[in-house]
């Protein structure tokens, strides 16, 4: 066989204005990248960050955003809305060992840097470790994560789903996932449904199930097929018409396996990384490679 091989050129583009771990990145309509929140490196217990900065790829310059978040946070989600603004949802304002650090708010950020962040509240549920995706109806769905302990669910692995309505700038609680999941990943599918994979269902019990959340009926349904590996804090990438690659993450052992969910719902092993990549970054590259960046091992 013939293989095309590319040696990537690595170039330093300068430094962030603020050192930070685990920020959220959002690509804006003008191509700039907003870098939001995170945790101060080497802080123990964790100290969360409220500052925001913007990277301009045309000039390779980092600039401080005109405003800070109203609440410093980590373990949140951030998405670009259809009106060009950015929504930041829930997360932690400090170590997860303290329940008072769980957040139940959201903030709207103005990329034009004219209006300061506007804060709203979620419908009664604090959460972190959740994920978000847009449904076929154009609304943003917040899925799973971990909330406050409740009877019969002492570690509060959430099946809860909330829907953000742009027109009214409000959230509403809608029907649930088939399973409560923390450390899940989600991606919008071409069938109008949202693919939800893996996570933790209960303490130390990692899931190998995946389900489709259907915004039209607001309910999740587990597939009869299962992943070959249990995993959390992993990545799902959608490729082509209706194929999905499951990458990285961890459980109680090392995971190097790369799995694919085909359009018929079947699961197959397509390869292995040379080492485990937990909390890594993944992207498609040149339409025929998967690029894996960083992460932890073991």
């Amino acid at each position: 066989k013939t293989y095309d091989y590319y040696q990537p050129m690595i170039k330093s583009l300068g430094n962030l204005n603020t050192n930070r771990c685990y920020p959220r990145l959002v690509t804006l309509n003008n191509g700039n990248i907003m870098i939001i929140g995170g945790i101060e490196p080497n802080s123990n217990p964790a100290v969360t960050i409220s500052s925001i900065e913007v990277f301009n790829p045309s000039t390779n310059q980092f600039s401080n955003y005109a405003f800070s978040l109203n609440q410093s946070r980590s373990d949140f989600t951030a998405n670009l809305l259809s009106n060009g603004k950015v929504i930041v949802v829930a997360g932690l304002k400090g170590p997860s060992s303290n329940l008072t650090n769980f957040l139940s708010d959201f903030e709207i950020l103005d990329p034009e840097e004219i209006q300061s962040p506007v804060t709203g509240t979620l419908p009664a549920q604090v959460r972190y470790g959740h994920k978000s995706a847009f449904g076929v109806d154009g609304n943003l769905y917040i899925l799973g994560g971990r909330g406050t302990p409740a009877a019969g669910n002492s570690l509060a692995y959430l099946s809860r789903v909330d829907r953000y309505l742009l027109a009214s700038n409000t959230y509403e609680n809608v029907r649930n996932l088939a399973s409560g999941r923390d450390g899940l990943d989600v991606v919008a599918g071409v069938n109008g449904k949202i693919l939800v994979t893996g996570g933790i269902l209960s303490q130390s019990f990692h899931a190998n199930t995946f389900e489709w959340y259907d915004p039209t009926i607001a309910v999740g349904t587990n597939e009869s097929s299962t992943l070959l590996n249990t995993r959390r804090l992993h990545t799902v990438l959608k490729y082509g018409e209706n194929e999905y690659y499951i990458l990285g993450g961890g459980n109680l052992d090392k995971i190097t396996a790369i799995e694919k969910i085909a359009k018929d719902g079947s699961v197959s092993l397509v390869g292995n990384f040379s080492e485990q990549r937990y909390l890594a970054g993944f992207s498609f590259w040149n339409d025929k490679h998967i690029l894996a960046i960083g992460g932890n091992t073991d």
Side-chain angles (χ1 to χ4, degrees), residues 207-227:
N208 65 350
T209 59
F210 63 96
E211 59 182 281
W212 290 99
Y213 185 82
D214 187 346
T216 61
I217 58 175
V219 67
T221 303
N222 274 322
E223 284 289 302
S224 56
S225 302
T226 58
L227 301 176

Side-chain angles (χ1 to χ4, degrees), residues 8 11 13 31 52 133 173 198 272:
K11 179 181 178 181
L13 301 179
I52 303 167
N173 180 224
N272 288 274

Side-chain angles (χ1 to χ4, degrees), residues 118-231:
V118 177
T119 300
T121 57
L122 298 174
Q125 179 62 64
V126 298
R127 69 197 320 157
Y128 77 95
H130 48 287
K131 289 296 174 65
S132 53
F134 286 96
V136 68
D137 56 4
N139 294 316
L140 182 67
Y141 288 78
I142 311 298
L143 307 104
R146 189 177 295 191
T148 52
N153 192 6
S154 61
L155 291 177
Y157 299 95
L158 298 176
S159 61
R160 182 185 177 106
V161 179
D162 290 301
R163 176 167 57 200
Y164 175 71
L165 305 174
L166 178 61
S168 59
N169 190 31
T170 58
Y171 271 90
E172 61 181 2
N173 180 224
V174 290
R175 291 173 65 191
N176 296 339
L177 295 171
S179 303
R181 302 172 187 267
D182 175 37
L184 68 164
D185 200 21
V186 304
V187 67
V190 293
N191 56 4
K193 299 178 182 179
I194 299 171
L195 176 63
V196 181
T197 61
I200 305 179
L201 305 184
S202 61
Q203 188 172 18
S204 298
F205 183 77
H206 295 72
N208 65 350
T209 59
F210 63 96
E211 59 182 281
W212 290 99
Y213 185 82
D214 187 346
T216 61
I217 58 175
V219 67
T221 303
N222 274 322
E223 284 289 302
S224 56
S225 302
T226 58
L227 301 176
L228 305 176
N229 292 270
T230 63
R231 62 178 89 206

Side-chain angles (χ1 to χ4, degrees), residues 49-78:
I49 296 172
S50 63
S51 66
I52 303 167
E53 47 194 296
V54 177
F55 175 68
N56 185 333
S58 64
T59 63
N60 291 338
Q61 296 295 312
F62 292 88
S63 61
N64 288 321
Y65 182 71
F67 307 99
S68 293
L69 294 168
N70 292 317
Q71 173 62 64
S72 64
R73 67 185 75 221
S74 67
D75 296 83
F76 57 93
T77 58

